[in-house]
Amino acid sequence: MARARSTDVERSLGRRMRGTAGLAALAGLAWVARDVPAALGGRLSGARAERAARSPQFREGTFHNRAGSRAMVAEPGRNLLRELIFGKQKRRPSTAVPLLRPTDEPATTDTHRELGVIWYGHASALVEIEGHRVLIDPVWSERCSPSTLVGPRRLHEPPVRLDELPRLDAILISHDHYDHLDMATVRELVARQSAPFLVPLGVGAHLDRWGVPAERIIELDWSESHETGGLKITATPAQHFSGRGLRRDGTLWSSWVIEGTFRKVFYTGDSGYFDGYAAIGAEHGPFDVTLMQIGAYDRAWPSIHMFPEEAVDAHLDLRGGLLIPVHWATFNLALHDWSEPVNRLWAEAKARDVQLAVPRPGERVVVDEPPAVDGWWQAIA
């Protein structure tokens, strides 16, 4: 009888412990996921929605590319999920990605003609132009995801901390995907910097939700410009899409032209290859340097991300001088080998006599004196 009572007590205690553990687990999950709703961002409303509705790119409630494009192309007999799990591609480096820490020295002693680029990894880069500093698509978080638990994780640390960045004159965002627009990074930049955020139409709704002051949000449609200091910054077309939750294309996406008195820079953002590059080159080129997206491509989505050979095509259409590849090495976002994008780009650039620089993350490239391509990534592929 006593043994039976003891067993009942043990069972009751076990149920209570399991219940307590379950509640603790739920509480822990809720704590970790507390920022997910905010990370999804805001939605167009009021004057912002009215302005979007007047855009030539906006119709039937969403933004559109000028040419038709599809985010996914079905391939009979191909299972992308199976390939993602069981594919033989080598999607991460064998050893650590080498990082460099840029010095505080300017790109050149002649600040009137200064032009340098520091690539921090993926699409994040700092453009040093004629004494001004423009930060592009800054993502410093561990994951490009609304969650800190799931989503693509960094393959290398940022080469510098956000509090080590110099004073910025502008912060450019190409579109609202998580690998280009990161809530935690934005919030820290708001606290540490005073520069305005230049974003495509609608993206300001996300920044509003994250506490960016209204006077620091500059929203531009394609072909619209904003002058800050001695720079003219213009939003130019791209062929892509947008969305942070279930809703697609509620904000615009863009490429960017950064123009000083003497120097010009072009950044693709994310884009498939399209005839808009030739038009941008004719209107705004030639460019001293282009920052070209080369990674995360696949034949299943050929119209929204460029293949490396197409990046060379686009660079030539733009009338670019030096080509610096971005959008590779940091996050595993596609099915190709980790080193494939830059290997293919290097081969194409040599075949077509295009000047190329492939910096390590954190390495400063002086555009007028670029380092020779040394294949550093091949030793760790």
Side-chain angles (χ1 to χ4, degrees):
M1 190 72 173
R3 181 177 298 172
R5 282 198 299 272
S6 176
T7 300
D8 289 343
V9 170
E10 289 174 357
R11 288 175 177 170
S12 176
L13 181 60
R15 285 194 296 270
R16 291 178 184 175
M17 291 178 67
R18 287 192 295 272
T20 301
L23 288 172
L26 286 173
L29 183 61
W31 173 257
V32 170
R34 69 194 184 282
D35 284 337
V36 169
L40 294 176
R43 299 191 66 171
L44 274 69
S45 62
R48 180 171 283 116
E50 293 173 4
R51 185 181 176 198
R54 295 193 296 269
S55 169
Q57 282 61 250
F58 194 86
R59 60 183 181 273
E60 299 176 353
T62 59
F63 288 95
H64 295 262
N65 291 303
R66 288 181 175 171
S69 62
R70 297 172 60 187
M72 294 292 291
V73 176
E75 292 187 72
R78 188 182 185 196
N79 186 315
L80 288 175
L81 181 59
R82 184 187 301 120
E83 192 173 339
L84 178 66
I85 298 172
F86 300 108
K88 302 302 182 183
Q89 300 94 337
K90 193 172 185 300
R91 296 195 287 266
R92 54 185 61 240
S94 299
T95 59
V97 176
L99 307 180
L100 295 182
R101 289 182 58 84
T103 66
D104 294 330
E105 295 298 320
T108 174
T109 56
D110 182 3
T111 56
H112 295 295
R113 294 186 179 273
E114 171 192 20
L115 186 55
V117 175
I118 302 173
W119 176 58
Y120 295 121
H122 198 60
S124 302
L126 182 71
V127 174
E128 305 171 317
I129 176 171
E130 298 178 7
H132 302 283
R133 303 291 179 267
V134 179
L135 184 63
I136 295 174
D137 282 353
V139 174
W140 258 249
S141 287
E142 181 68 15
R143 296 182 186 274
C144 55
S145 166
S147 169
T148 58
L149 287 180
V150 297
R153 193 171 186 175
R154 301 185 71 93
L155 299 177
H156 65 82
E157 293 296 316
V160 298
R161 302 188 310 270
L162 285 172
D163 63 0
E164 295 178 303
L165 291 177
R167 185 189 64 80
L168 302 173
D169 295 278
I171 301 165
L172 303 189
I173 305 296
S174 63
H175 63 296
D176 71 1
H177 286 158
Y178 294 102
D179 57 321
H180 295 258
L181 178 62
D182 175 55
M183 180 179 70
T185 302
V186 166
R187 285 176 166 174
E188 189 165 349
L189 287 171
V190 168
R192 296 186 178 279
Q193 298 279 348
S194 60
F197 289 80
L198 277 66
V199 301
L201 286 182
V203 175
H206 303 318
L207 304 187
D208 271 346
R209 186 169 186 182
W210 301 338
V212 180
E215 63 272 15
R216 290 182 62 182
I217 301 173
I218 309 296
E219 293 185 76
L220 300 177
D221 200 350
W222 293 346
S223 299
E224 292 182 341
S225 301
H226 177 76
E227 294 190 10
T228 177
L231 300 179
K232 179 181 178 182
I233 300 177
T234 304
T236 43
Q239 185 169 283
H240 198 55
F241 68 106
S242 66
R244 294 178 74 83
L246 298 178
R247 187 168 182 261
R248 285 275 300 273
D249 301 337
T251 64
L252 188 59
W253 47 94
S254 71
S255 56
W256 291 97
V257 172
I258 306 170
E259 182 178 356
T261 303
F262 303 103
R263 315 306 297 263
K264 288 184 183 180
V265 178
F266 178 80
Y267 167 53
T268 58
D270 276 3
S271 179
Y273 179 75
F274 71 128
D275 59 9
Y277 288 122
I280 294 169
E283 182 176 358
H284 298 282
F287 295 97
D288 297 284
V289 60
T290 67
L291 279 63
M292 306 298 292
Q293 169 253 304
I294 66 164
Y297 52 80
D298 193 278
R299 62 185 187 273
W301 51 86
S303 62
I304 58 170
H305 277 177
M306 284 187 287
F307 292 89
E309 295 80 8
E310 291 176 321
V312 174
D313 288 335
H315 172 82
L316 293 172
D317 288 348
L318 290 159
R319 298 193 291 157
L322 178 67
L323 189 162
I324 297 179
V326 299
H327 206 268
W328 76 285
T330 306
F331 295 110
N332 186 351
L333 301 176
L335 302 173
H336 54 65
D337 286 353
W338 175 79
S339 61
E340 181 185 296
V342 72
N343 281 331
R344 288 175 59 170
L345 180 75
W346 194 13
E348 187 72 6
K350 286 188 289 189
R352 303 179 71 176
D353 197 27
V354 167
Q355 188 180 30
L356 178 69
V358 185
R360 295 157 178 78
E363 183 176 1
R364 173 184 278 114
V365 173
V366 178
V367 171
D368 294 333
E369 300 175 0
V373 181
D374 59 6
W376 61 265
W377 63 89
Q378 295 177 339
I380 64 171

Coordinates of all heavy atoms in Angstrom, one line a residue, residues 100 107 115-119 128 288-289 321-325 342 346 349-350 354-377:
L100 N 40.5 40.9 -43.0 CA 41.5 42.0 -42.8 C 40.8 43.2 -42.1 O 39.6 43.3 -42.2 CB 42.0 42.5 -44.1 CG 42.9 41.5 -44.9 CD1 43.4 42.2 -46.2 CD2 44.0 41.0 -44.1
A107 N 41.8 56.5 -48.8 CA 42.2 55.8 -50.0 C 43.3 56.5 -50.8 O 44.1 55.9 -51.5 CB 41.0 55.6 -50.9
L115 N 38.8 57.6 -54.0 CA 37.8 56.6 -54.3 C 38.3 55.2 -53.8 O 39.3 54.7 -54.4 CB 37.5 56.5 -55.8 CG 36.3 55.5 -56.2 CD1 35.1 55.9 -55.4 CD2 36.1 55.6 -57.7
G116 N 37.7 54.7 -52.8 CA 38.1 53.4 -52.3 C 36.8 52.6 -51.9 O 35.8 53.2 -51.7
V117 N 37.0 51.3 -51.8 CA 35.9 50.5 -51.4 C 36.4 49.5 -50.4 O 37.4 48.8 -50.6 CB 35.3 49.7 -52.6 CG1 34.2 48.7 -52.2 CG2 34.7 50.7 -53.7
I118 N 35.7 49.3 -49.3 CA 35.9 48.3 -48.3 C 34.7 47.3 -48.3 O 33.6 47.7 -48.0 CB 36.2 48.8 -46.9 CG1 37.3 49.8 -46.9 CG2 36.4 47.7 -45.9 CD1 37.5 50.6 -45.6
W119 N 35.0 46.1 -48.7 CA 33.9 45.1 -48.7 C 34.0 44.3 -47.4 O 35.0 43.8 -47.0 CB 34.2 44.1 -49.9 CG 33.2 42.9 -49.9 CD1 31.9 43.0 -50.0 CD2 33.6 41.5 -49.9 NE1 31.3 41.7 -50.1 CE2 32.4 40.8 -50.0 CE3 34.8 40.8 -49.8 CZ2 32.3 39.4 -50.0 CZ3 34.7 39.5 -49.8 CH2 33.5 38.8 -49.9
E128 N 34.3 55.0 -50.1 CA 35.0 56.2 -49.7 C 35.2 57.0 -51.0 O 36.0 56.7 -51.9 CB 36.3 55.9 -49.1 CG 36.2 54.9 -47.9 CD 37.6 54.4 -47.5 OE1 38.4 54.1 -48.3 OE2 37.8 54.3 -46.2
D288 N 33.7 54.6 -62.4 CA 35.0 54.2 -62.0 C 35.1 52.8 -61.5 O 36.1 52.1 -61.7 CB 35.6 55.2 -61.0 CG 35.7 56.6 -61.5 OD1 36.6 56.9 -62.3 OD2 34.8 57.4 -61.2
V289 N 34.0 52.4 -60.8 CA 34.0 51.1 -60.2 C 32.5 50.7 -60.1 O 31.6 51.5 -59.9 CB 34.6 51.1 -58.8 CG1 33.9 52.0 -57.8 CG2 34.7 49.7 -58.2
G321 N 34.7 50.7 -65.0 CA 36.1 50.5 -65.0 C 36.5 49.3 -64.2 O 36.7 48.2 -64.8
L322 N 36.7 49.4 -62.9 CA 37.0 48.3 -62.1 C 35.8 47.6 -61.6 O 34.8 48.2 -61.3 CB 37.8 48.8 -60.8 CG 38.2 47.7 -59.8 CD1 39.3 46.8 -60.4 CD2 38.8 48.4 -58.5
L323 N 35.8 46.2 -61.6 CA 34.7 45.4 -61.1 C 35.0 44.8 -59.8 O 36.1 44.1 -59.7 CB 34.3 44.4 -62.2 CG 33.0 43.5 -62.0 CD1 32.6 42.9 -63.3 CD2 33.1 42.5 -60.9
I324 N 34.2 45.0 -58.8 CA 34.4 44.4 -57.5 C 33.2 43.5 -57.2 O 32.0 44.0 -57.2 CB 34.6 45.4 -56.4 CG1 35.8 46.2 -56.6 CG2 34.6 44.7 -55.0 CD1 36.1 47.3 -55.5
P325 N 33.3 42.2 -57.1 CA 32.2 41.3 -56.8 C 31.7 41.4 -55.4 O 32.5 41.5 -54.4 CB 32.7 39.9 -57.1 CG 34.2 40.0 -56.8 CD 34.6 41.4 -57.2
V342 N 33.0 33.3 -57.7 CA 34.2 34.1 -58.0 C 35.1 33.4 -59.0 O 35.8 34.0 -59.8 CB 34.9 34.5 -56.7 CG1 35.6 33.3 -56.0 CG2 35.8 35.6 -56.9
W346 N 36.2 35.3 -62.3 CA 37.6 35.5 -62.7 C 37.9 35.1 -64.1 O 38.5 35.7 -64.9 CB 38.5 34.8 -61.6 CG 39.9 35.3 -61.7 CD1 40.4 36.3 -62.3 CD2 41.0 34.6 -61.0 NE1 41.8 36.4 -62.1 CE2 42.2 35.3 -61.3 CE3 41.1 33.5 -60.2 CZ2 43.4 35.0 -60.8 CZ3 42.3 33.1 -59.7 CH2 43.5 33.8 -60.0
A349 N 36.2 37.5 -66.6 CA 36.9 38.8 -66.6 C 38.2 38.7 -67.4 O 38.5 39.6 -68.2 CB 37.1 39.3 -65.2
K350 N 38.9 37.6 -67.2 CA 40.2 37.4 -68.0 C 39.9 37.3 -69.5 O 40.6 37.8 -70.3 CB 40.9 36.2 -67.4 CG 41.6 36.5 -66.1 CD 42.5 35.4 -65.6 CE 41.8 34.2 -65.2 NZ 42.7 33.1 -64.6
V354 N 38.4 42.4 -68.6 CA 37.8 43.3 -67.6 C 38.7 43.4 -66.4 O 39.1 42.4 -65.8 CB 36.4 42.8 -67.3 CG1 35.8 43.5 -66.0 CG2 35.4 43.0 -68.4
Q355 N 38.9 44.6 -65.9 CA 39.7 44.8 -64.7 C 38.9 44.4 -63.5 O 37.8 44.8 -63.2 CB 40.1 46.3 -64.6 CG 41.1 46.5 -63.5 CD 41.5 48.0 -63.4 OE1 40.7 48.9 -63.7 NE2 42.7 48.3 -62.9
L356 N 39.5 43.5 -62.7 CA 38.8 42.9 -61.5 C 39.6 43.0 -60.3 O 40.9 42.9 -60.3 CB 38.6 41.4 -61.9 CG 37.9 40.5 -60.8 CD1 36.4 40.9 -60.6 CD2 38.0 39.1 -61.2
A357 N 39.0 43.2 -59.1 CA 39.6 43.2 -57.8 C 38.7 42.3 -57.0 O 37.5 42.4 -56.9 CB 39.7 44.5 -57.2
V358 N 39.3 41.3 -56.3 CA 38.6 40.4 -55.4 C 39.1 40.5 -54.0 O 40.0 39.8 -53.6 CB 38.6 38.9 -55.9 CG1 37.7 38.1 -55.0 CG2 38.2 38.8 -57.3
P359 N 38.7 41.5 -53.2 CA 39.2 41.7 -51.9 C 38.8 40.6 -50.9 O 37.8 40.0 -51.0 CB 38.7 43.1 -51.5 CG 37.4 43.2 -52.2 CD 37.6 42.5 -53.5
R360 N 39.6 40.4 -49.8 CA 39.2 39.7 -48.7 C 38.2 40.6 -47.9 O 38.3 41.8 -47.9 CB 40.4 39.3 -47.8 CG 41.4 38.3 -48.5 CD 42.8 38.4 -47.9 NE 43.7 37.5 -48.6 CZ 44.3 37.7 -49.7 NH1 44.0 38.8 -50.4 NH2 45.1 36.8 -50.2
P361 N 37.3 40.0 -47.1 CA 36.5 40.8 -46.3 C 37.3 41.7 -45.4 O 38.2 41.3 -44.6 CB 35.7 39.8 -45.5 CG 35.6 38.6 -46.3 CD 37.0 38.5 -47.0
G362 N 37.0 43.0 -45.4 CA 37.7 44.0 -44.6 C 38.8 44.7 -45.4 O 39.4 45.7 -44.9
E363 N 39.2 44.2 -46.5 CA 40.3 44.8 -47.3 C 39.9 46.0 -48.1 O 38.9 46.0 -48.8 CB 40.9 43.7 -48.3 CG 42.1 44.2 -49.1 CD 42.6 43.1 -50.0 OE1 42.0 42.0 -50.0 OE2 43.6 43.3 -50.6
R364 N 40.6 47.1 -48.0 CA 40.3 48.3 -48.7 C 40.9 48.2 -50.1 O 42.1 47.8 -50.3 CB 40.9 49.5 -48.0 CG 40.8 50.8 -48.9 CD 41.5 52.0 -48.2 NE 40.6 52.6 -47.2 CZ 40.8 52.6 -45.9 NH1 41.9 52.1 -45.4 NH2 40.0 53.2 -45.1
V365 N 40.1 48.5 -51.1 CA 40.6 48.5 -52.5 C 40.6 50.0 -52.9 O 39.6 50.7 -52.9 CB 39.6 47.8 -53.4 CG1 40.0 48.0 -54.9 CG2 39.6 46.3 -53.1
V366 N 41.8 50.5 -53.2 CA 42.0 51.8 -53.8 C 41.7 51.6 -55.3 O 42.5 50.9 -56.0 CB 43.4 52.4 -53.6 CG1 43.6 53.7 -54.2 CG2 43.7 52.4 -52.1
V367 N 40.7 52.3 -55.8 CA 40.2 52.0 -57.1 C 41.2 52.3 -58.2 O 41.3 51.6 -59.2 CB 38.9 52.7 -57.4 CG1 38.4 52.7 -58.8 CG2 37.8 52.2 -56.5
D368 N 42.0 53.3 -58.0 CA 43.0 53.7 -59.0 C 44.3 52.8 -58.9 O 45.1 52.8 -59.8 CB 43.5 55.1 -58.8 CG 42.3 56.1 -59.1 OD1 41.4 55.8 -59.9 OD2 42.3 57.2 -58.5
E369 N 44.4 52.0 -57.8 CA 45.6 51.1 -57.7 C 45.1 49.8 -57.1 O 45.5 49.4 -56.0 CB 46.6 51.7 -56.8 CG 47.2 53.1 -57.3 CD 48.1 53.7 -56.3 OE1 48.4 53.1 -55.2 OE2 48.6 54.8 -56.6
P370 N 44.2 49.1 -57.8 CA 43.6 47.9 -57.2 C 44.7 46.7 -57.1 O 45.6 46.6 -57.9 CB 42.6 47.5 -58.3 CG 43.1 48.1 -59.6 CD 43.8 49.3 -59.2
P371 N 44.5 45.9 -56.1 CA 45.4 44.8 -55.9 C 45.2 43.7 -57.0 O 44.1 43.6 -57.5 CB 45.1 44.2 -54.6 CG 43.6 44.6 -54.4 CD 43.5 45.9 -55.1
A372 N 46.3 43.0 -57.4 CA 46.1 42.0 -58.3 C 45.3 40.8 -57.7 O 45.3 40.6 -56.5 CB 47.5 41.4 -58.7
V373 N 44.5 40.2 -58.6 CA 43.7 39.0 -58.1 C 44.7 37.9 -57.8 O 45.5 37.5 -58.7 CB 42.7 38.6 -59.2 CG1 41.9 37.5 -58.7 CG2 41.8 39.8 -59.5
D374 N 44.6 37.4 -56.6 CA 45.6 36.3 -56.2 C 44.9 35.0 -55.9 O 45.6 34.0 -55.5 CB 46.4 36.8 -55.0 CG 45.5 37.1 -53.8 OD1 44.3 36.8 -53.8 OD2 46.0 37.6 -52.7
G375 N 43.6 34.9 -56.1 CA 42.9 33.6 -55.9 C 42.9 33.1 -54.4 O 42.9 31.9 -54.2
W376 N 42.9 34.1 -53.5 CA 43.0 33.7 -52.0 C 41.9 32.7 -51.6 O 42.2 31.9 -50.7 CB 42.9 35.0 -51.2 CG 41.6 35.8 -51.4 CD1 41.4 36.8 -52.2 CD2 40.4 35.5 -50.7 NE1 40.1 37.3 -52.1 CE2 39.4 36.5 -51.1 CE3 40.0 34.6 -49.7 CZ2 38.1 36.5 -50.7 CZ3 38.6 34.6 -49.3 CH2 37.8 35.6 -49.7
W377 N 40.8 32.8 -52.2 CA 39.6 31.9 -51.8 C 39.9 30.5 -52.2 O 39.3 29.6 -51.6 CB 38.4 32.4 -52.5 CG 38.4 32.3 -54.0 CD1 38.1 31.3 -54.8 CD2 39.0 33.4 -54.8 NE1 38.3 31.6 -56.1 CE2 38.9 32.8 -56.2 CE3 39.5 34.6 -54.6 CZ2 39.3 33.6 -57.3 CZ3 39.9 35.4 -55.8 CH2 39.8 34.9 -57.0

